Amino acid sequence: MNRPAFHLAIPVDDLTPARAFYGEVLGLAEGRSSDHWVDWDFHGHQVVTHVVPGARAEAGRNPVDGHDVPVPHFGLVLDVEEFHVLAGRLKDAGTEFVIEPYQRFAGEPGEQWTMFLHDPAGNALEFKAFRDESQLFAR
């Protein structure tokens, strides 16, 4: 699929742990930056971490498939192999998951692998992989 790139700006309280998480743990390339923000290449999308002292990242939770999903959250739809490589990388880095990597909706439309975690500033991320990506919006 050919998709337009999205731009997302998120608050962080300190760029040093943001750089360690987004640059080292997730392995994203750093783009332009200043003392107050950093652009990240989020698989062709632009995610910008802006220093906002005291910002609250999580508004609440929503039940999905027996888990409390943090809201708001953002992330990527990866292929299944990339998902498992990233899950291993996150585990090796000692990541504390909000929801451990698991397969949900097995045998149903939208069957997928998913995992949720927080960055050091408390922003929630979800990474997922569909058995069949054409089911991304299946009902």
Side-chain angles (χ1 to χ4, degrees):
M1 282 190 240
N2 185 15
R3 299 181 181 129
F6 71 80
H7 165 85
L8 176 67
I10 58 171
V12 298
D13 52 0
D14 188 336
L15 289 178
T16 299
R19 278 189 163 104
F21 178 76
Y22 288 96
E24 296 169 25
V25 176
L26 293 184
L28 304 181
E30 184 174 325
R32 292 179 306 276
S33 67
S34 81
D35 292 341
H36 304 286
W37 55 267
V38 177
D39 284 345
W40 298 101
D41 180 350
F42 199 62
H43 292 256
H45 305 285
Q46 186 185 49
V47 170
V48 185
T49 49
H50 284 273
V51 175
V52 180
R56 181 171 181 214
E58 189 175 310
R61 303 233 171 179
N62 190 22
V64 178
D65 192 37
H67 295 283
D68 286 330
V69 171
V71 178
H73 65 264
F74 70 98
L76 289 172
V77 176
L78 305 169
D79 69 33
V80 174
E81 183 179 339
E82 287 176 307
F83 174 90
H84 290 292
V85 167
L86 179 59
R89 183 179 188 151
L90 290 165
K91 286 178 184 178
D92 290 347
T95 300
E96 184 177 323
F97 291 93
V98 175
I99 299 172
E100 294 275 341
Y102 83 104
Q103 187 177 33
R104 70 177 169 196
F105 310 134
E108 298 178 32
E111 179 180 317
Q112 62 192 263
W113 285 90
T114 188
M115 60 181 152
F116 287 83
L117 55 131
H118 287 118
D119 74 4
N123 296 296
L125 290 91
E126 176 185 17
F127 294 94
K128 58 172 68 179
F130 286 80
R131 180 178 49 82
D132 174 0
E133 194 173 324
S134 74
Q135 299 247 317
L136 188 63
F137 299 104
R139 301 174 91 183

